[in-house]
Amino acid sequence: MVEQNGNPEVNAGIFCSLTFWWIQKIFTTGYKRPLTKDDIFPIDPRLQSERLTALLEQQWFREIEKTKNPSLAVTVLKRHRFTFLWLFVAFNFEAAFRCTVPFIVARITSYFDPAVEMTQKTALLWSVCLLLMMFTMVGFRSYLYYRFLHLGTVLRVEITGLVYRKVCRITQQEIGERSVGLILNLITNDAQRLDEGILMTNVLFSIWAVLGITFAIMYTELGIYYTLAVFVPVLLCVPIQLGIGRLVTYLREKVSVLTDRRVKIIHEIILFMKVIKMYGWELMFKKLVEKIRRKESVLIGIFVWTQSVVSVIWYTIPVVSLLIAISVKTYAEEPMKTSEIFFFLLILNPLTTYLNAFLGRAFSYISQLITSFRRIEDFLNADEIKHIHKKAAISNLTNDVIVNKSFLHKDAEASNNNGLESTKIKSNEMAVTLDNFSSKWGPNVFSLKGLNLTVKKGELIAVVGPVACGKTTLLMSLLQELEHEGILNIDRSVGFSSQVPWIFNGNIEENILFNRPLDKEKLNKCIESCYLTKDLELFPSGLYTLVGERGVQLSGGQKARVNLARAVYGQDPIILLDDPLSAVDSRCAKHIFNKLIKDQLAGKTRILVTHATHFLSEVDRIVVMDTEVVTDGNKTKVVGKISHVGTYSQLVSKGLKLSIFGSEDKKSRRIRKISKLSYGTDDAEFDQDSDINETKKPAQREEEKKTGTLNKMLYIKYATLSIGYIAIPILLVILVAPQILSIYQQQYAIEWLNERHVLRVNLTKKEMEHFDKTHFETYVCLAIGATLLFIGRSVVYISLIYRSGKKLHNEALFAILRSPTRLFDTTPIGKNDNQRFTKDTYFMDERLSYVSLDFLGLFLIFSASVGLAVIANYWFIIPLILLVTTLLYTVRYYLRTSVEIRRIEASQRSPILSHISATLSGMTTIRANNQIEIFESKHYHARDEHTRCWILFQAASHWFSLRLDCLTVLNCVIATFLAVLLKEVVGASVAGLAVVYITNMVNGFQWCIRQYTETENMMTAVERIYMFADLPSEAPLEVTDKRTIVVRNKVATSGVIEFRNVSLKYDPEGDYILRDLSFLTKPCEKIGIVGRTGAGKSTILQALFRMVEPEGEILLDGMLTREMGLHELRRSISIIPQESLLFSETLRVNLDPFSEFSDDYLWDALEKVKLKSYVSAQTGGLEMMVQEGGGNLSAGQRQLLCLARALLKDNKFLVIDEATANVDELTDQLIQQTLRQEFSKCTVLTIAHRINTIIDSDRIMVIDEGKLAEFDHPALLLKRPESIFYDLVNETGMFEVLLDQANMSFNTSLKSE
């Protein structure tokens, strides 16, 4: 391992800095063995993310204070003006050196012109000058390029830090209007362009020096004809490149929008993959992504082809310019000299490189950079939460500066807004005060209106109401997450437990402590009061058990209780609890309410949203919420309001039936107590994670990272992906042919002029004219042919590579959709969608084709240069062999290390993206617990870990560039000296042309190798995408045997499910969860499935849906499920999952993704789940947009929409996994009635979370340790005190009521028989 005693670059001297010797240790280590993360040098303190972000943020705030329309580009220029200035000076000096090299080489090539007299000694002296000039030039060039890339890295770190800080402060409305995909795109693709765009700005710095010096030298050496012959075509191409730049800007904006949408949908696919598979929606989502991808690909194709025009111009300008020069000279009867052609070709190199290659790319990159700046500016100007403090790093600025510039002007108006204001004034008696308070999620979205409420300190308030009445919105308003009007007084320190539990990647203790100091006594008390003690005993690692990303290792109930423990661990005087009792069983709910909410939190102000109305008599006061439809102009909308406030006895005395809002009082006959049948937990999530101890879950795995150099077969595999192996000969022909013809036409011109020089004495004027005309026409044909071949090369090559990229993306997408669900349990989301489908896809789509084409074109030029040098002087073979051997060793030495560094760098991007995803999903909890600065620190740490890898990779690249430059200069000098010393051995034309080509390669070869290494690094992105494309797949979606593709028409006729000796385990090396399970249902039977934690209840459904392939046999109406395609199987079973799947599309598409049903059917389904009135009141009705993850709907509404989906399908099998966990009592009753009526002719399997929802089932299936323990009618099971089901019902405290219901159901079934 490399010694970690600090970053060596910090203390590197001038020599070490210029030669990059400070990085040598890494190469020594990397050559001996594959590098690991621990080998990478520590972060340079000057590149630390927190410091850089604070400095840029200060400048950004100053810009906001000065103007209403702050510019991020101007901010960056002001922040780094001195760095830009010295780089401007340095690059102009480098450009001057580059332009004077052709002048010296021209003196040498004059030696090969028979019309010029020069001694060998003079030619050798000029060769020595060339040696000194070139070594001086290359000695500083790599360091200058590295400093520019260093600046690009600084800018990326600063701006991504600024974006993350904005993420932590952006309002809920702005989050709703923007997608996770957009934010991830800003931090990956847009930020990446900072590196590339800033690097190309050096062209703008030095182009003026190149133009001035080149024009002066050409005019002095060749005269006005040649000067115009070069500058006219070159300058005429500049407007073309400006037009290309504008087109690229337009395309970049359009592509970014489509990329945001694609990444957003893929993000949703990863989040909800298990449910998508159960619905059989893989192909639907694949088509949805591919539809966007096709539009994106068309624009990317135009984008890439547009950029390829720049390469075409660079390759064809020498051909066209020489053609014009010869044409002008020929018709002016002033034939060119051989030495003039040599100089002409030499001076064209720096001019065309800057004006056509670099300037064209600079316009393209800077156009993209401008687009990225605009997108980032738009995000930075989004509205912010006002009450969040800025860090001390910017405390020198005025306190009222807000990141959102609009707030600078809105705040001044607030005090005049009819006396309404939002404040945080503390009161001696009141903890919360709402006075004429209104809030909303955004325009045309649900809102609260005219709320008046006061809450005393230490009071316990329960908030109840029907689904979607605004209970969660009220808590969000108290947290000041929403735009609001009126008076709000509340303490700033608030604890919050969200309705949808938020669990971040870490262990259980870290999730509870949430970066707060460890107090073991308090922690143990929280664990006990949140009923987590027995759960922790089940885990081998206890508190230190890793929960995985989004808590995949925990059940829904455990997530809810860990989420609750986090909220109450702190010292906050106000605690907001959003329905924490719905996700736990009756015993657990009673324990939490008594031990935690009433006892441990006594003295604190507690606002509890709940459906557990049997606890209402024990709270201080009750807030009843309701909805009303109001008219706003021509629009109607639903708003929430507070309808009643009072004690339990006061509300009951007014005749208010509180039971309709949740569970009734124990004295009622219809006790609706939340009764989840797990011992201390539940099986809330519909996946294998629900059975906590059913298997030892695998630890979250590290991202796969290949080692060693890139497999060269990957190039062939990728190139042939488009049209097969026929692509190889096509690519060889279109790459080599243009270069051969280009060299031949140049040599033809030189031979023509040399022959003319010899024959001019013997030919008459007329014969000379005929001679010139014949050769000129031939030359024109050769020049036009070379130009057309260069154009064809770019079109064909980019088309093939671009097509391969499109195909690989689709293969990777399909592969991830077809992968077993285990992949998504063990791989963080940042390593799935955020890597392969964002930055890696960007590299593959937009950079690989033209970077690799650049390399291949330059490699062919280099090969031609070496070939000409060998032809000119065969003695050159000896030093060439030594140089090539050294070069190959250097390349191998470099690639062993650089590829590993790049792989490590790529793996370090994932934690950044995963952290951002986690931040976005848990933003409300993070803000409520004042954890923003801590999460920012974690982001800075993750960014620093990536930066130290990235900057090391850049330094390694320039270490390599410098050594290549030195080898190339040595190669050039040897070839030149040999050509001068052995002039008479070969023709002067070949020797002179060899010197020209070999000299030009001093500049081109470094770029060639740089593009090669960049191509290698781009191919690591392809390699990573291939790793997804090669993922193992589930069983076929459909089978070729037509007898099995009859699920709906033949198999599902009666609705019989049979398990025969079914066993299942999630981990091939783990224990069996189901053990020889056998049972047979009757047609249209209603089965309730119960059992204690770890019994295997949810695993039955996993086996039924073949989410994990079981052993044994499962039959649906006599048909083996393993002989059915997965889609035939899964679409034949309706599912109402616990994890509601809603994606960012219209409500119509969410209900009916395959457009199978008419509007009447859709409205009928909505009416049956009591959502018709709500949807009707929304703008667009069925066309209303659903936000990402259903963010603009309540948890109850999301569940009801899933129920509506099941109603639309006409299947004989229905699986229910707690369809009514987040709905009120009245809605629950209506849903149960709907289920009984609409699915009366279906076989229904229900995993029980509320005991009353299955007590009237035809039979109860009790699972114990993966085996069928009991299977009978609930009334019969309750007559057996020794039965497990008897114990489970007895634990609810409602035994008599539930027994009566079971007996009533039993008697009804006897009568029906």
Side-chain angles (χ1 to χ4, degrees), residues 297-309:
S297 296
V298 169
L299 294 177
I300 289 175
I302 299 172
F303 176 84
V304 174
W305 285 322
T306 300
Q307 288 190 313
S308 72
V309 173

Side-chain angles (χ1 to χ4, degrees), residues 1006-1034:
Q1006 186 209 101
W1007 188 255
C1008 172
I1009 298 300
R1010 183 190 298 276
Q1011 294 300 75
Y1012 167 65
T1013 57
E1014 192 66 12
T1015 300
E1016 282 269 297
N1017 293 317
M1018 295 301 104
M1019 286 302 292
T1020 61
V1022 174
E1023 178 187 53
R1024 288 158 59 79
I1025 297 174
Y1026 260 119
M1027 288 169 64
F1028 262 25
D1030 296 335
L1031 286 171
S1033 177
E1034 291 183 306

Side-chain angles (χ1 to χ4, degrees), residues 601-764:
L601 299 179
K604 295 187 178 183
T605 304
R606 295 143 292 167
I607 300 179
L608 169 69
V609 171
T610 184
H611 293 293
T613 53
H614 56 284
F615 291 126
L616 296 183
S617 60
E618 301 181 52
V619 304
D620 297 323
R621 281 192 299 160
I622 302 167
V623 174
V624 181
M625 300 193 68
D626 206 346
T627 59
E628 65 176 341
V629 178
V630 298
T631 302
D632 184 8
N634 297 325
K635 298 180 181 179
T636 60
K637 61 180 181 179
V638 179
V639 299
K641 64 177 184 178
I642 295 177
S643 58
H644 300 85
V645 179
T647 63
Y648 180 80
S649 58
Q650 288 173 341
L651 296 180
V652 171
S653 65
K654 292 180 181 180
L656 189 64
K657 294 184 178 180
L658 296 174
S659 60
I660 65 173
F661 303 125
S663 308
E664 293 185 6
D665 188 84
K666 291 183 180 179
K667 298 178 181 179
S668 172
R669 290 289 296 172
R670 293 284 297 168
I671 297 179
R672 302 290 294 174
K673 208 171 198 179
I674 298 173
S675 180
K676 302 193 176 180
L677 303 182
S678 301
Y679 185 69
T681 187
D682 67 313
D683 295 324
E685 279 205 315
F686 191 29
D687 56 21
Q688 65 263 37
D689 303 321
S690 303
D691 297 307
I692 299 307
N693 207 31
E694 291 174 5
T695 182
K696 185 181 291 186
K697 294 292 179 175
Q700 182 174 295
R701 66 182 184 184
E702 291 295 322
E703 183 176 6
E704 289 185 46
K705 180 179 75 70
K706 293 190 177 182
T707 58
T709 57
L710 205 66
N711 187 346
K712 297 302 182 286
M713 288 302 297
L714 181 64
Y715 289 92
I716 297 176
K717 184 178 180 181
Y718 185 67
T720 57
L721 185 62
S722 54
I723 59 173
Y725 284 97
I726 190 65
I728 301 298
I730 292 175
L731 289 173
L732 287 175
V733 171
I734 61 104
L735 286 169
V736 175
Q739 194 61 52
I740 293 176
L741 193 57
S742 174
I743 294 173
Y744 179 71
Q745 62 92 20
Q746 292 173 359
Q747 187 177 3
Y748 182 85
I750 295 170
E751 295 289 352
W752 165 26
L753 296 177
N754 283 341
E755 188 177 355
R756 191 181 191 283
H757 179 74
V758 174
L759 297 175
R760 65 184 177 180
V761 179
N762 301 322
L763 297 179
T764 64

Side-chain angles (χ1 to χ4, degrees), residues 305 308 312 734 790-800 853:
W305 285 322
S308 72
V312 172
I734 61 104
F790 276 122
I791 295 172
R793 178 168 78 176
S794 292
V795 171
V796 174
Y797 181 84
I798 288 178
S799 296
L800 290 176
L853 180 59

Side-chain angles (χ1 to χ4, degrees), residues 467-492:
V467 168
C469 66
K471 300 182 293 295
T472 297
T473 305
L474 175 62
L475 297 190
M476 291 295 103
S477 300
L478 295 178
L479 292 170
Q480 301 183 67
E481 288 286 324
L482 307 181
E483 182 181 343
H484 56 267
E485 298 175 351
I487 295 177
L488 166 61
N489 294 339
I490 186 171
D491 192 290
R492 184 167 290 155

Side-chain angles (χ1 to χ4, degrees), residues 345-370:
L345 295 174
L346 283 165
I347 202 68
L348 268 176
N349 183 262
L351 188 63
T352 55
T353 298
Y354 270 87
L355 272 179
N356 296 114
F358 287 171
L359 186 62
R361 284 202 177 94
F363 284 147
S364 176
Y365 276 118
I366 293 171
S367 297
Q368 296 178 58
L369 189 61
I370 291 170

Side-chain angles (χ1 to χ4, degrees), residues 877-1015:
I877 294 176
I878 297 174
L880 179 64
I881 292 173
L882 295 175
L883 287 169
V884 169
T885 303
T886 306
L887 174 64
L888 291 176
Y889 174 77
T890 306
V891 171
R892 183 184 177 193
Y893 185 79
Y894 165 72
L895 286 178
R896 273 198 182 181
T897 300
S898 71
V899 171
E900 290 301 318
I901 295 175
R902 192 58 185 260
R903 284 173 174 154
I904 296 170
E905 180 269 328
S907 69
Q908 290 306 301
R909 291 198 299 263
S910 295
I912 299 173
L913 301 175
S914 295
H915 181 70
I916 293 169
S917 296
T919 302
L920 287 167
S921 61
M923 184 51 62
T924 303
T925 302
I926 293 170
R927 289 171 178 166
N929 288 275
N930 298 317
Q931 293 284 318
I932 287 179
E933 293 185 7
I934 293 176
F935 269 74
E936 285 177 350
S937 296
K938 290 183 176 181
H939 170 77
Y940 297 144
H941 174 73
R943 175 59 69 185
D944 288 344
E945 289 296 295
H946 173 262
T947 300
R948 70 187 180 109
C949 300
W950 172 258
I951 204 65
L952 187 65
F953 171 74
Q954 295 300 334
S957 297
H958 289 86
W959 175 96
F960 183 54
S961 296
L962 176 63
R963 281 142 185 84
L964 283 182
D965 276 342
C966 292
L967 285 174
T968 311
V969 168
L970 188 60
N971 174 57
C972 170
V973 171
I974 292 174
T976 303
F977 272 95
L978 287 173
V980 171
L981 293 172
L982 303 173
K983 172 187 175 183
E984 305 302 329
V985 177
V986 294
S989 63
V990 176
L993 198 59
V995 171
V996 170
Y997 267 79
I998 211 77
T999 305
N1000 283 339
M1001 279 310 298
V1002 172
N1003 295 321
F1005 186 65
Q1006 186 209 101
W1007 188 255
C1008 172
I1009 298 300
R1010 183 190 298 276
Q1011 294 300 75
Y1012 167 65
T1013 57
E1014 192 66 12
T1015 300

